[in-house]
Amino acid sequence: MAFEKDLNLDATELRLGLPGSSDESAKNQTPATLRSNNKRALPEESMSSNATASKNCDQETAPLPKAQVVGWPPIRSYRKNNLQPKKSEGEISGIYVKVSMDGAPYLRKIDLKVFKGYPELLKALEEMFKFKAGEYSEREGYNGSEFVPTYEDKDGDWMLAGDVPWEMFTNSCKKLKIMKGSEARGLGCV
Amino acid sequence: MQKKMAYSFPDEVLEQVFSFIQSDKDRNAVSLVCKSWDEIERWCRRKVFIGNCYAVSPRMVIRRFPEVRSIKLKGKPHFADFNLVPDGWGGYVLPWIAEMAGAYPWLEEIRLKRMVVTDESLELIAKSFKNFKVLVLFSCEGFSTDGLAAIAASCKNLRELDLRESEVDDLSGHWLAHFPETCTSLVSLNISCLRSDEVSFSALERLVGRCPNLRSLRLNRAVTLDKIANILRRAPQLVDFGTGYYAAELQPDVFSNLAGAFSSCKELKSLSGFWDVVPAYLPALYSICPRLTSLNLSYATIQSPDLIKLVSHCPRLQRLLVLDYVEDSGLEELASSCKDLQELRVFPSDPFGAEPNVSLTEQGLVAVSLGCPKLRSVLYFCRRMSNAALVTIAQNRPNLTRFRLCIIEPKTPDYLTLEPLDVGFGAIVEHCKDLRRLSLSGLLTDHVFEYIGTYGKKLEMLSVAFAGDSDLGLHHVLSGCESLRKLEIRDCPFGDKALLANAAKLETMRSLWMSSCAVSFGACKLLGQKMPKLNVEVIDETEPPDSRPESCPVDKLYIYRSVAGPRFDMPPFVWTMDEAVRILH
């Protein structure tokens, strides 16, 4: 396995062997210092309390994360730099909006671009804040739900999420708020 | 006596004859015929190519060729592209410009590759050469748009300004406005590497509009999709176009405007750019696809189905650069649609991921080698390979001249047999008798080098990484490859024996790079001492090589032939092994 010569320790070591007979066994080990260079960190234990037994087994038998070698694979830095998408806020890459919920101690942020429509968005919000939004209907909104997804649009008005087509929503949504159902009545409903 | 008279022509006649000889090699041959031919030839040589800027000094070039109009220089070794050459190593163009400013007032063309160019150099060019026409900076660095402004403002007959893949300090897009309104001579403008989000768009539009001979235009990412149509309508004569940002929300009027603009470019044959593509805009290209011969989609993160659709509209395609999103299925489609294909480059979309993210394997390359009879040049990144596939490719395509394979994980064996890939690469060199360039990867023993030394008689450039078992491997290459000019090696167990035994060979080559190998400092000194026409440079960023025992291997070694002697612009981490065994630094 290849590894990065970070301190060039081989060169500073006095060796008894002839030049050219490098210490092959040393090359095949992965020194502990290299773990810090790994792209794939070993999963933290605190991550998921739902970790199943099979997941744990996978962790134990998974191959050691690979260390990055300088200049390998041979890709020009010009190409590497250009593969990263333009980090501009707004239309093309990532629409991040703040999400707040009545009673929650802090806000979250989500990228609207990753969802294809309302059902996916609602599912994600429900999982994030542990609530149930209920069924949406044009006439009655999220009737009977304890919590209701709303958003502030470009004009500064608070709207019920779900009324307008998805594309229009992602373009005009400035922030999201999960309101208590009792307060949401009267929002956007005919 | 009479024989001599019968064979002598007046100088002017010989000059006229020589003017038909354009190739450098032929010119060099002419100058070797006899002293008078050498003398005549050197006065009428107009173009000089210097493959290593340290192989000769500016003064020597000027002394020999006093009437040069066009110069091409290369600086850093190729592995500098992959960050193996530390910053500050060298490759400065300023000394050349300074000397040529006085000696070649009529210089018209400067083409540089992998050199350090400063604003000072650019300003000196702008000031010194009244008839300056062509500036190509390929993979260069060290300058900003201020330097470009000087060129734009002063060079009244500028025809080409090509900054391909250079690192430019993009201070603002306003430098474009420095082209005077009287400048109408541009034929080629490539600013695709400029990174800032600003560009003086109106200046660009006006410039494009007033240059009727503009054939090649490559924009940068600051130019948004909606602006492309305006530019194209001002330059319908374009042959080569590089888009800027090719992404926007799909709007019917923008789309139809764009499609119309493209279809008005009847000469357009080559496309590139395509950063951040929205697939819905690709059909705007369909009207020109039938004429396309070159397509660079290597920055476009579009998936296989969209790629297949596009490529199937391009039956005349000769050159395709693409990301591995194309997948095996896309390459199979390419093989059936594009029978004129000569060059294919497939780049990895996720080179550092541990697992494959796309379904691209050796199968895609095999399909293309089978289906495209004119395929000559391949650059292919993948995650698995087999000897059987390589043998098939070699047998299908003996006309390959460039074959560069990068299996992403070092030392990966044949995935079917778990054996080294010696036999597969051996087949490549054996069948492809005109192979000039080869890059190896995967698990390889000394055997592959035996094949290369035996069959690679036309091989000019060889790149090796994580391969071989012993000095024998290197010896096979150095003793067998008669045409070898450039050899670059990293992380191989090659040491002193092969190098010292083939010292004379190194004088017949342009350069040798070895890093993370097993060449000792003592051997480097010996080589420097024995071979005065070689510059032996040791690169070590941690400490001086003579602070350790002579048997210790050096970190990086760069050996190149030179008639200029050791250079004097070395940074602290480069040592040259001088012939007098003084270590110059």
Side-chain angles (χ1 to χ4, degrees), chain B residues 293-313:
Chain B
T293 57
S294 171
L295 189 52
N296 184 350
L297 293 168
S298 62
Y299 298 104
T301 53
I302 39 182
Q303 306 299 319
S304 190
D306 296 310
L307 280 167
I308 290 176
K309 252 192 278 176
L310 185 61
V311 151
S312 61
H313 279 81

Side-chain angles (χ1 to χ4, degrees), chain B residues 387-443:
Chain B
N387 282 308
L390 284 170
V391 170
T392 304
I393 291 166
Q395 289 173 338
N396 286 337
R397 290 277 67 76
N399 49 328
L400 283 173
T401 56
R402 289 186 170 94
F403 189 73
R404 294 155 70 186
L405 179 67
C406 178
I407 305 165
I408 289 180
E409 179 62 31
K411 303 198 185 177
T412 304
D414 177 326
Y415 77 97
L416 294 169
T417 63
L418 297 183
E419 283 174 3
L421 291 170
D422 300 335
V423 167
F425 278 107
I428 294 277
V429 286
E430 185 183 349
H431 291 274
C432 306
K433 302 209 186 304
D434 289 325
L435 196 69
R436 287 193 319 259
R437 185 167 178 183
L438 177 64
S439 299
L440 306 172
S441 58
L443 181 65

Side-chain angles (χ1 to χ4, degrees), chain A residues 109-175:
Chain A
K109 244 190 175 163
I110 55 170
D111 178 4
L112 295 180
K113 261 261 153 342
V114 311
F115 305 111
K116 293 195 178 58
Y118 287 111
E120 279 188 25
L121 171 65
L122 284 172
K123 192 153 169 280
L125 290 175
E126 286 173 344
E127 274 178 27
M128 204 183 251
F129 289 97
K130 307 279 181 282
F131 72 98
K132 274 267 170 251
E135 284 292 311
Y136 169 79
S137 76
E138 219 179 298
R139 271 182 65 87
E140 296 174 16
Y142 297 88
N143 200 18
S145 318
E146 202 196 337
F147 287 100
V148 161
T150 66
Y151 69 101
E152 185 181 2
D153 74 358
K154 280 190 173 139
D155 304 324
D157 298 322
W158 282 99
M159 314 287 289
L160 188 73
D163 289 334
V164 300
W166 176 253
E167 289 282 325
M168 202 187 286
F169 165 72
T170 55
N171 282 337
S172 56
C173 171
K174 286 267 155 287
K175 35 172 130 146

Side-chain angles (χ1 to χ4, degrees), chain B residues 427-482:
Chain B
I428 294 277
V429 286
E430 185 183 349
H431 291 274
C432 306
K433 302 209 186 304
D434 289 325
L435 196 69
R436 287 193 319 259
R437 185 167 178 183
L438 177 64
S439 299
L440 306 172
S441 58
L443 181 65
L444 298 163
T445 71
D446 283 346
H447 285 307
V448 72
F449 298 109
E450 200 178 340
Y451 289 125
I452 293 173
T454 305
Y455 295 110
K457 296 306 179 190
K458 298 244 178 92
L459 199 61
E460 294 177 7
M461 183 168 176
L462 179 64
S463 309
V464 186
F466 306 104
D469 310 308
S470 75
D471 273 46
L472 206 50
L474 180 57
H475 176 71
H476 283 309
V477 172
L478 289 176
S479 58
C481 297
E482 293 160 3

Side-chain angles (χ1 to χ4, degrees), chain B residues 490-557:
Chain B
R490 62 163 296 173
D491 292 274
C492 295
F494 299 149
D496 301 343
K497 289 197 283 275
L499 204 55
L500 293 173
N502 291 283
K505 171 73 175 176
L506 298 177
E507 265 186 24
T508 70
M509 293 165 52
R510 182 186 297 172
S511 65
L512 167 64
W513 169 279
M514 292 178 76
S515 55
S516 306
C517 294
V519 180
S520 73
F521 180 55
C524 293
K525 284 203 294 191
L526 194 56
L527 201 57
Q529 185 190 4
K530 264 175 64 176
M531 313 291 298
K533 292 213 201 96
L534 290 181
N535 279 2
V536 179
E537 289 182 13
V538 171
I539 300 168
D540 195 326
E541 290 177 277
T542 53
E543 57 184 349
D546 56 359
S547 65
R548 300 188 293 266
E550 283 205 356
S551 56
C552 280
V554 297
D555 183 24
K556 296 172 182 171
L557 175 60

Side-chain angles (χ1 to χ4, degrees), chain A residues 66-84:
Chain A
K66 295 184 174 111
Q68 271 192 50
V69 177
V70 173
W72 191 268
I75 297 168
R76 299 198 47 213
S77 33
Y78 177 82
R79 177 164 292 283
K80 275 190 274 190
N81 293 340
N82 276 289
L83 266 183
Q84 275 138 35

Side-chain angles (χ1 to χ4, degrees), chain A residues 8-82:
Chain A
N8 204 7
L9 293 170
D10 282 350
T12 51
E13 256 177 77
L14 280 177
R15 280 198 259 143
L16 295 176
L18 291 167
S21 58
S22 52
D23 195 1
E24 276 303 321
S25 55
K27 279 193 172 160
N28 288 330
Q29 289 164 7
T30 43
T33 50
L34 292 171
R35 301 257 166 84
S36 56
N37 293 334
N38 296 331
K39 280 212 98 159
R40 277 241 204 118
L42 293 169
E44 287 166 11
E45 275 157 57
S46 58
M47 217 168 80
S48 173
S49 51
N50 297 337
T52 58
S54 62
K55 259 196 191 167
N56 284 334
C57 284
D58 280 350
Q59 281 176 22
E60 279 170 278
T61 56
L64 272 179
K66 295 184 174 111
Q68 271 192 50
V69 177
V70 173
W72 191 268
I75 297 168
R76 299 198 47 213
S77 33
Y78 177 82
R79 177 164 292 283
K80 275 190 274 190
N81 293 340
N82 276 289

Side-chain angles (χ1 to χ4, degrees), chain B residues 12 23 43 60 110 119 143 145 168 231 320 326 328 353 366 373 381 451 520 543 545:
Chain B
E12 302 79 47
S23 120
W43 277 95
M60 287 167 148
I110 295 176
D119 284 347
F143 61 102
T145 42
V168 185
I231 293 266
L320 177 66
V326 68
D328 289 338
V366 171
F381 283 81
Y451 289 125
S520 73
E543 57 184 349

